[in-house]
Amino acid sequence: MPATPQRRRAVRRLTIGAAVLAAAGLAAGALPAGAETGHGDRADRTVDVQLLSFNDFHGNLEPPQGSSGTVEELQADGTKKSVPAGGAEYLAQSLRTARKGHPYSVTAAAGDLVGASPLLSGLFHDEPTVEAMNKLGLDVTSVGNHEFDEGRKELTRLQEGGCHPKDGCYEDGKKFRGAGFPYLTANVTDEKTGKPLLKPYTVWKHKGVKIGFIGVTLEGTPDIVNAEGIKGLKFHDEVSTINKYAKVLNKQGVKSVVALIHEGGMPASTSYNYRCDSPGPGDGISGPITEIARHVTPKVDALVTGHTHQAYACTIPDPSGRPRTVTSAASYGKLYTDTTLTYDRRTHDIVRTSVKAPGAVNHVVNRDQPKAADMTSLITRWNKLAAPVAGRPVGHVSADIAGRGANAPESPLGDVISDAQLEATKADGKGGAQLALMNPGGIRSDLAFKASGSEGDGVVTYGEAFTVQPFTNMMNVIDLTGAQLLSGLQQQVSGPNAASPKILQVSDGLTYTLDMTKAGADRVVKDSVKLNGEPLDPAKTYRVAMNEFLAGGGDGFAAFKDGRNKFVGPSDLDAFTAYLTAHSSATGPLTPPKADRITVVK
């Protein structure tokens, strides 16, 4: 059910304010240390601080297309409704509207603001997104793994400003000013100095109120980014890092602390307004964030999370057993979270109670509200610079081709991309590939039939293709034995990927059965793996195409690091656009593949 103003007021009455304490008749023991009654009127001692948050924006300045641009809303009768959402014009307007009437309001994010971005931002190394974040009033963010896509030096430039070292300044007379908010890297340190790459924490202050923010990315970041970009950096455990800096903040007199964590969980429902505290606190969510939340020190009062692109507003008990808010606002600016933190001026701490309802609610960034004029101006300005590249037609489709929005291990767009990569590398002088593998996380969107601009329905522009394949990773072709290839396929569902499988998209000719009723590596049925109808030979050498990220062992595919005789081909984006151009036309558009190369047993 949509969050009406009346419902929002009801939620606030159930949160952690002074009114709750009085109405609930809670004993002094339910308050933070030093917050005993008998020290004056609590209404004068406490103030509600509004924490607005979001995560995983990924440079989506314009409303995302296809399934990437909708959220699922649970209706009162139990049915589900798809609601269009997102876009910087609407996110900025939503945040500004939410701040009205709240003299104490702070806006925070949990990483991946940039990286894997559509062309409008990605073409300019995400300077447009940083500029947009400055304008919409972001106060602080943690880094995410995608902030490292272009390496540590580029992340530092996004923070400090300055023109790009290769591409220079994009507008005459304008120098990139950098982020007006701190990027926090508490658990990312320099191997030589041992010091955090950027600030580990910051303190937000307003009229005597002080709230500390600690920012971390997932410890496993090295497994999901290109190794070259993080050379010389160490990534540390999230819990121990947060606990360390919570103590530092407490020693400085900052007792109210929020952790911004680029790691997340999986709610039991995909509906943004699903109650994940049913039947009990945190029962409706699983994944890495649950263990993190249970071990992060009680000194931290709320956890803003991300990475999994899911929506939830839960209360997960902290190590002392007290409920603590844990939130995530999906991705691409489609939602924002409104959390009430009740600050005690005497103890300088956040008042937390055992009230069952979470002190946080996710709200849809609806597209039926007025657009923020300054965001419209920003988008128009950058679109003019991008237009010569972005609007060029590269292909035609007969219908939506689902990629990111597919709800099956194998996606139609995954088939298209892997076929494109095979075609680009199969010739003898271009690598001699016999098959191609594509990591699912590298497919960032769907190919939508509906026009995004003036190009017409069914036309695929370069900008739309870029949105699907924004990393421009170089294609590699490597020698793998059948045994190594099988090991790589097994790593989709074992090792680092056991809990959350990463199913590779495969080119035409490679088939096998994935039995999800089994566990670990046994889920890949060995005898079922065939190439062009022939069983995989463990001793035979195969030429396998994949992007450089996978070839470097990214996403937990260590088997591919042992590949030999590497050939470097075109970028994955060039392979994709060339395939679309060669295999489609206005009169013969590309149709969605059947996605029947992997047989899944459930």
Side-chain angles (χ1 to χ4, degrees):
M1 181 175 66
T4 62
Q6 184 177 7
R7 182 166 174 264
R8 284 196 294 269
R9 288 194 295 272
V11 170
R12 291 190 184 284
R13 286 196 295 271
L14 288 171
T15 55
I16 16 183
V20 171
L21 297 173
L26 292 174
L31 306 179
E36 303 88 349
T37 57
H39 292 280
D41 186 358
R42 288 198 59 81
D44 294 333
R45 275 180 44 191
T46 61
V47 59
D48 280 348
V49 177
Q50 179 190 57
L51 170 61
L52 300 177
S53 58
F54 57 95
N55 50 277
D56 296 277
F57 185 73
H58 289 290
N60 278 263
L61 297 170
E62 296 177 298
Q65 282 194 294
S67 61
S68 295
T70 62
V71 293
E72 185 179 275
E73 186 174 78
L74 188 64
Q75 305 298 295
D77 62 0
T79 60
K80 296 176 181 179
K81 177 182 177 182
S82 182
V83 181
E89 294 159 304
Y90 303 108
L91 177 60
Q93 187 67 28
S94 294
L95 294 175
R96 289 164 184 169
T97 300
R99 291 178 188 130
K100 291 179 180 178
H102 295 278
Y104 296 86
S105 184
V106 57
T107 303
D112 277 9
L113 298 180
V114 301
S117 304
L119 185 134
L120 178 60
S121 186
L123 185 63
F124 306 105
H125 301 280
D126 282 310
E127 289 182 21
T129 293
V130 173
E131 182 184 346
M133 294 296 112
N134 288 340
K135 288 180 179 291
L136 62 74
L138 183 63
D139 292 297
V140 59
T141 186
S142 68
V143 290
N145 54 287
H146 281 287
E147 265 80 18
F148 293 94
D149 282 350
E150 295 191 48
R152 60 186 293 178
K153 289 183 179 179
E154 177 62 6
L155 172 56
T156 302
R157 187 184 76 89
L158 290 181
Q159 177 70 87
E160 298 176 353
C163 297
H164 191 269
K166 290 184 179 178
D167 294 344
C169 295
Y170 296 110
E171 297 176 284
D172 291 340
K174 287 188 177 181
K175 182 180 178 182
F176 177 55
R177 298 174 62 184
F181 49 88
Y183 264 110
L184 303 181
T185 60
N187 69 329
V188 185
T189 61
D190 185 283
E191 286 184 346
K192 293 181 179 179
T193 66
K195 295 180 179 179
L197 177 62
L198 299 172
K199 293 177 65 173
Y201 63 86
T202 191
V203 180
W204 178 82
K205 301 176 183 178
H206 186 64
K207 296 182 179 179
V209 172
K210 294 188 295 184
I211 298 178
F213 288 88
I214 302 166
V216 299
T217 186
L218 69 155
E219 184 183 8
T221 291
D223 296 328
I224 53 176
V225 300
N226 276 323
E228 190 64 29
I230 56 169
K231 190 175 289 184
L233 295 177
K234 280 191 174 182
F235 292 77
H236 303 274
D237 176 70
E238 304 95 338
V239 171
S240 59
T241 301
I242 293 168
N243 291 351
K244 168 187 172 181
Y245 285 108
K247 288 181 181 179
V248 171
L249 285 165
N250 274 204
K251 287 180 180 179
Q252 295 176 5
V254 180
K255 305 296 184 182
S256 300
V257 181
V258 174
L260 307 176
I261 308 172
H262 192 70
E263 178 61 289
M266 299 297 293
S269 170
T270 52
S271 298
Y272 81 89
N273 54 341
Y274 164 75
R275 187 167 180 263
C276 66
D277 281 343
S278 178
D283 286 343
I285 187 171
S286 60
I289 199 60
T290 57
E291 284 304 301
I292 291 173
R294 292 188 181 108
H295 291 90
V296 164
T297 174
K299 292 181 172 67
V300 173
D301 300 292
L303 278 62
V304 176
T305 74
H307 187 56
T308 57
H309 290 205
Q310 300 299 309
Y312 46 84
C314 306
T315 52
I316 299 175
D318 68 17
S320 70
R322 298 169 66 207
R324 176 169 55 191
T325 297
V326 180
T327 67
S328 174
S331 61
Y332 304 158
K334 295 180 291 188
L335 300 175
Y336 72 91
T337 311
D338 190 338
T339 303
T340 300
L341 302 173
T342 298
Y343 184 88
D344 189 317
R345 290 185 180 277
R346 182 175 176 273
T347 64
H348 310 295
D349 203 352
I350 299 299
V351 180
R352 282 202 280 142
T353 74
S354 59
V355 175
K356 290 184 179 179
V361 178
N362 276 323
H363 299 285
V364 179
V365 176
N366 286 297
R367 297 183 196 167
D368 58 1
Q369 62 182 312
K371 297 178 180 180
D374 57 340
M375 291 296 159
T376 301
S377 177
L378 180 150
I379 290 169
T380 299
R381 196 178 92 242
W382 286 102
N383 262 329
K384 285 181 180 178
L385 291 172
V389 176
R392 177 169 60 87
V394 295
H396 299 78
V397 294
S398 65
D400 289 353
I401 302 182
R404 193 75 171 182
N407 45 15
E410 180 185 354
S411 72
L413 190 51
D415 285 359
V416 173
I417 291 171
S418 55
D419 285 351
Q421 295 181 351
L422 176 59
E423 184 162 301
T425 57
K426 68 181 180 181
D428 288 341
K430 296 183 177 180
Q434 296 167 273
L435 68 144
L437 303 173
M438 175 64 196
N439 58 306
I443 304 171
R444 305 304 299 185
S445 185
D446 305 329
L447 273 186
F449 175 79
K450 186 177 180 180
S452 59
S454 59
E455 73 275 12
D457 290 347
V459 178
V460 180
T461 66
Y462 183 83
E464 290 166 343
F466 186 100
T467 298
V468 171
Q469 291 260 264
F471 299 109
T472 58
N473 280 317
M474 302 309 292
M475 290 303 304
N476 287 182
V477 184
I478 55 176
D479 282 348
L480 291 175
T481 65
Q484 289 172 320
L485 179 55
L486 177 61
S487 179
L489 293 176
Q490 291 173 329
Q491 286 170 355
Q492 299 175 108
V493 288
S494 62
N497 297 325
S500 182
K502 291 184 174 69
I503 307 304
L504 298 169
Q505 307 300 287
V506 300
S507 58
D508 188 28
L510 183 66
T511 58
Y512 69 95
T513 297
L514 190 64
D515 189 346
M516 299 305 288
T517 66
K518 297 181 179 179
D522 289 339
R523 288 175 167 177
V524 176
V525 180
K526 293 181 181 179
D527 295 340
S528 72
V529 184
K530 295 180 180 180
L531 180 61
N532 299 321
E534 295 292 327
L536 192 69
D537 184 344
K540 185 177 178 180
T541 297
Y542 297 88
R543 293 291 284 163
V544 186
M546 62 186 71
N547 62 46
E548 60 185 320
F549 169 69
L550 265 185
D555 269 353
F557 291 94
F560 299 147
K561 290 196 294 184
D562 296 328
R564 306 270 183 175
N565 194 21
K566 182 172 72 174
F567 175 90
V568 178
S571 74
D572 52 8
L573 178 60
D574 286 345
F576 183 45
T577 56
Y579 185 87
L580 292 172
T581 301
H583 291 272
S584 68
S585 65
T587 55
L590 188 68
T591 58
K594 294 180 181 179
D596 57 359
R597 299 165 188 177
I598 304 172
T599 300
V600 181
V601 178
K602 298 181 180 179

